Amino acid sequence: MLKTRLITALIGIVVLAIAISYGGFIFNLMMSILAFIGWVEFGSLCRHMKVKVLPIWGLIYVVLVCGSLLFGQYALALFFAIGIILGLGVFYTFGNSKVSIQSICATVSGILYVTSGFVALMAIRDTQIYKNTTYYAGQSSFGESVIWLLLLSIWASDTFAYFVGKKWGSRRIVPDISPNKTLEGFIGGFIGCVLTGWIGSICLGLPTTIGTGIGIIVGIMAPLGDLFESKLKRLANKKDSGSVLPGHGGVLDRFDSVLFATPLVLAYILML
């Protein structure tokens, strides 16, 4: 099992590094594929929870919204995103009477949960979005650097939380969802995440306001994303969300922290 995990992790890191380096169509295609798989996994979890979602609507959302972003068409992606969400409301109003409002809400929530993080990653990697900000000075690798800083911060949050929790953890936060998560681990992960964001921004030539902000946001949202996905799996009575990544489970298992943290990181860096 350990060998399988290591091989999968090594291949995943190499592929991700190549995609981040190239950016553009290649990176966006990878994020779109992950969003597609993530939505399929979410639908599977819902079936095991006896929660009805409308899977075709999520697939349409991924294809049209992520497909638009493949070519950098942000306005078109926003048009499709709003149109599909409103379309679900129209479908509920005039469609099959057997479709409940609970199904509509679960579908909308699932679409936003699964896709927002990957869509935000596409935007963050695109250096064009920084051109009207006060801190951008024409660096061609700016978006790439922000992506790496974000991922390093998430890694730091998990790593510091694990070691601090293992050494000093005693106060369990939510034992019914994740018995090993402790308050001490959360605090350690948060501090390590903020330090990583701050130091990483200096090393990568980014404003420290970006690094510190990413550290704070990730330090709070990453563990919440982990807990949210853990609760979904517990309610579905599933160990993993999927099996597409041998030894690591599914896309939602590996990107649970990213899905919660990245949208807020995007909003933050655009507000500066």
Side-chain angles (χ1 to χ4, degrees):
M1 176 63 74
L2 179 59
K3 182 179 179 181
T4 301
R5 285 178 62 88
L6 290 174
I7 292 174
T8 302
L10 180 60
I11 294 174
I13 290 171
V14 171
V15 172
L16 182 61
I18 292 173
I20 293 174
S21 177
Y22 275 93
F25 183 87
I26 293 177
F27 179 76
N28 290 353
L29 178 61
M30 182 178 182
M31 294 302 103
S32 299
I33 293 172
L34 291 174
F36 180 87
I37 298 172
W39 173 251
V40 173
E41 291 178 358
F42 180 80
S44 175
L45 291 174
C46 286
R47 284 194 298 273
H48 283 86
M49 290 187 290
K50 309 300 181 184
V51 175
K52 184 178 180 181
V53 294
L54 307 173
I56 189 64
W57 284 87
L59 295 179
I60 293 172
Y61 187 98
V62 170
V63 170
L64 294 182
V65 174
C66 294
S68 300
L69 293 175
L70 279 176
F71 303 98
Q73 299 298 315
Y74 290 97
L76 185 60
L78 181 61
F79 174 82
F80 282 135
I82 295 173
I84 291 169
I85 298 301
L86 294 178
L88 275 163
V90 174
F91 176 71
Y92 173 71
T93 303
F94 298 102
N96 192 331
S97 60
K98 294 182 180 180
V99 176
S100 66
I101 189 64
Q102 288 81 5
S103 294
I104 298 296
C105 291
T107 302
V108 172
S109 299
I111 287 173
L112 296 179
Y113 164 61
V114 172
T115 63
S116 295
F118 296 117
V119 167
L121 282 173
M122 295 186 211
I124 290 173
R125 177 58 185 85
D126 186 1
T127 301
Q128 299 294 323
I129 71 166
Y130 305 102
K131 287 193 172 181
N132 292 324
T133 60
T134 57
Y135 51 80
Y136 178 69
Q139 308 96 312
S140 60
S141 61
F142 196 91
E144 181 180 354
S145 297
V146 176
I147 286 285
W148 280 120
L149 182 59
L150 170 62
L151 296 179
L152 284 172
S153 298
I154 291 173
W155 174 80
S157 173
D158 291 340
T159 303
F160 278 88
Y162 173 78
F163 285 107
V164 172
K166 189 174 182 180
K167 180 68 175 178
W168 293 289
S170 60
R171 299 176 180 85
R172 295 180 179 179
I173 301 176
V174 278
D176 292 340
I177 300 175
S178 185
N180 295 325
K181 292 287 191 301
T182 64
L183 178 60
E184 293 81 3
F186 173 80
I187 294 172
F190 177 79
I191 294 173
C193 192
V194 174
L195 289 175
T196 299
W198 177 61
I199 296 172
S201 63
I202 296 173
C203 295
L204 292 169
L206 297 171
T208 54
T209 50
I210 287 182
T212 305
I214 287 177
I216 293 173
I217 293 171
V218 171
I220 296 173
M221 300 307 298
L224 291 178
D226 187 0
L227 289 172
F228 179 78
E229 201 254 350
S230 294
K231 183 163 187 177
L232 288 180
K233 289 188 294 184
R234 280 195 173 272
L235 291 175
N237 196 29
K238 298 281 287 184
K239 181 178 181 295
D240 298 313
S241 65
S243 58
V244 70
L245 302 172
H248 290 266
V251 167
L252 297 183
D253 294 315
R254 290 301 90 200
F255 291 87
D256 50 6
S257 299
V258 173
L259 298 183
F260 258 51
T262 307
L264 279 179
V265 168
L266 174 62
Y268 170 73
I269 59 181
L270 291 179
M271 287 191 302
L272 290 177

Coordinates of all heavy atoms in Angstrom, one line a residue, residues 15 38 52 84 98 109 126 164 167 202 216 218 226 241-242 261 266 272:
V15 N 3.1 15.4 -12.8 CA 2.0 15.9 -13.8 C 1.5 17.2 -13.4 O 1.4 18.1 -14.2 CB 0.9 14.8 -13.8 CG1 -0.3 15.4 -14.7 CG2 1.3 13.5 -14.4
G38 N -14.5 14.8 -9.8 CA -15.0 15.2 -8.5 C -16.5 15.2 -8.5 O -17.1 14.8 -7.5
K52 N -30.8 12.7 -3.3 CA -31.0 12.7 -4.7 C -30.4 14.0 -5.3 O -30.9 15.1 -4.9 CB -32.5 12.5 -5.1 CG -32.6 12.5 -6.6 CD -34.1 12.3 -7.0 CE -34.3 12.2 -8.5 NZ -35.7 12.0 -8.9
I84 N -27.1 28.2 -15.8 CA -27.3 26.8 -15.4 C -28.0 26.8 -14.0 O -29.0 26.1 -13.7 CB -26.1 26.0 -15.4 CG1 -25.6 25.8 -16.8 CG2 -26.3 24.6 -14.7 CD1 -24.2 25.2 -17.0
K98 N -41.9 15.3 -9.5 CA -41.2 14.4 -8.5 C -39.9 15.0 -8.1 O -39.3 14.5 -7.1 CB -41.0 13.0 -9.2 CG -42.3 12.3 -9.5 CD -42.0 10.9 -10.0 CE -43.3 10.2 -10.3 NZ -43.0 8.8 -10.9
S109 N -25.7 23.1 -4.4 CA -24.6 23.1 -3.4 C -23.4 22.2 -3.8 O -22.3 22.6 -3.7 CB -25.1 22.5 -2.0 OG -26.1 23.4 -1.5
D126 N -3.8 32.2 -14.0 CA -3.8 33.1 -15.2 C -3.3 34.5 -14.8 O -3.9 35.3 -14.1 CB -5.2 33.3 -15.7 CG -5.3 34.1 -17.0 OD1 -4.2 34.5 -17.5 OD2 -6.4 34.3 -17.5
V164 N 2.1 18.4 15.2 CA 1.7 19.0 16.5 C 0.7 18.3 17.2 O 0.7 18.0 18.4 CB 1.3 20.5 16.2 CG1 0.7 21.1 17.5 CG2 2.5 21.3 15.7
K167 N 2.1 15.1 18.7 CA 2.9 15.3 19.9 C 2.2 15.9 21.1 O 2.4 15.4 22.2 CB 4.0 16.3 19.5 CG 5.0 16.7 20.6 CD 5.9 15.5 21.0 CE 6.9 16.0 22.0 NZ 7.8 14.8 22.4
I202 N 8.2 35.7 0.3 CA 9.5 36.4 0.2 C 10.4 35.6 -0.8 O 11.0 36.2 -1.6 CB 10.1 36.5 1.6 CG1 9.3 37.4 2.5 CG2 11.6 37.0 1.5 CD1 9.8 37.4 4.0
I216 N -3.3 32.8 6.3 CA -4.4 32.9 7.2 C -5.7 32.1 6.7 O -6.3 31.4 7.4 CB -4.8 34.3 7.5 CG1 -3.6 35.0 8.3 CG2 -6.1 34.5 8.3 CD1 -3.7 36.5 8.5
V218 N -5.9 29.8 4.3 CA -5.7 28.4 4.1 C -5.6 27.7 5.5 O -6.2 26.6 5.7 CB -4.4 28.1 3.4 CG1 -4.0 26.6 3.4 CG2 -4.5 28.5 1.9
D226 N -11.3 19.6 4.9 CA -11.0 18.2 5.2 C -12.2 17.7 6.0 O -12.6 16.5 5.8 CB -9.7 18.2 6.0 CG -9.2 16.8 6.3 OD1 -9.9 15.8 5.9 OD2 -8.2 16.6 6.9
S241 N -13.7 8.8 -1.3 CA -14.7 9.3 -2.2 C -14.7 8.6 -3.6 O -15.7 8.6 -4.3 CB -14.5 10.8 -2.4 OG -13.3 11.1 -3.1
G242 N -13.6 8.0 -3.9 CA -13.4 7.3 -5.2 C -12.1 6.5 -5.1 O -11.5 6.3 -4.1
A261 N -10.5 26.3 0.4 CA -9.6 27.5 0.6 C -9.4 28.3 -0.7 O -9.4 29.6 -0.6 CB -8.2 27.0 1.0
L266 N -8.7 33.4 -4.0 CA -8.9 34.2 -5.2 C -9.5 35.6 -4.9 O -9.1 36.6 -5.4 CB -9.7 33.4 -6.2 CG -10.1 34.2 -7.5 CD1 -8.9 34.6 -8.3 CD2 -11.1 33.3 -8.3
L272 N -7.0 43.1 -3.0 CA -5.8 43.9 -2.6 C -5.5 45.0 -3.5 O -5.8 44.9 -4.7 CB -4.6 43.0 -2.5 CG -4.6 41.9 -1.4 CD1 -3.3 41.0 -1.5 CD2 -4.6 42.6 0.0

